[in-house]
Amino acid sequence: MSLIAIVIDERNIVSSLRMSLEAEGHAVDGYLDPLVALPKLICVPPHVLLLNGTMPGMHGIEFFHCFRKYAKTPVIFLSANADDIADELARNGTPAEGYIPMPFSQRFVISEVKRVLAERSC
């Protein structure tokens, strides 16, 4: 069973993604506050992290860089600004494993999680 962490400041999105991912057999930890999530995820890194690009308290890119100092967990950004985030991280030489524009399809998120987990198991 894979552990998937979700760090998104919208309760409805976290809840719906949790239900979909749990139905696929994953364990899910959901966080609405990136400042609460960061130390917990550094201590116990998930197998995949779903991360919002823009959140109050800490921007997704800042969260990503802090998290990557301690864990090599694959990160998939879910953001209305997914292309901008991809460009910025590529310029810095630290790309994430995926970028999904919001609004998104639950099925697409699940397929991306499966893709990333399959790549990691090879």
Side-chain angles (χ1 to χ4, degrees):
M1 180 182 320
S2 298
L3 175 61
I4 312 300
I6 304 167
V7 182
I8 297 177
D9 62 321
E10 296 180 47
R11 186 176 310 279
N12 292 338
I13 294 175
V14 172
S15 295
S16 64
L17 284 172
R18 177 191 302 275
M19 287 188 302
S20 296
L21 291 163
E22 286 176 346
E24 293 290 320
H26 301 291
V28 179
D29 286 339
Y31 301 92
L32 299 171
D33 184 339
L35 298 174
V36 170
L38 186 59
K40 292 180 179 184
L41 296 177
I42 287 171
C43 288
V44 181
H47 294 100
V48 176
L49 172 60
L50 300 176
L51 179 61
N52 192 350
T54 53
M55 296 176 286
M58 178 181 260
H59 192 277
I61 291 175
E62 181 183 2
F63 185 100
F64 174 80
H65 287 302
C66 291
F67 180 69
R68 276 285 166 91
K69 288 179 186 175
Y70 302 97
K72 299 302 178 201
T73 296
V75 175
I76 300 172
F77 274 93
L78 305 170
S79 178
N81 304 317
D83 291 337
D84 294 337
I85 291 169
D87 291 344
E88 184 172 338
L89 292 177
R91 280 193 304 274
N92 292 331
T94 56
E97 284 68 28
Y99 306 91
I100 300 174
M102 288 178 148
F104 53 81
S105 152
Q106 297 270 340
R107 286 184 184 173
F108 186 67
V109 173
I110 290 168
S111 71
E112 283 295 287
V113 168
K114 287 180 181 178
R115 176 189 64 79
V116 168
L117 288 171
E119 287 176 0
R120 290 292 172 169
S121 68
C122 293

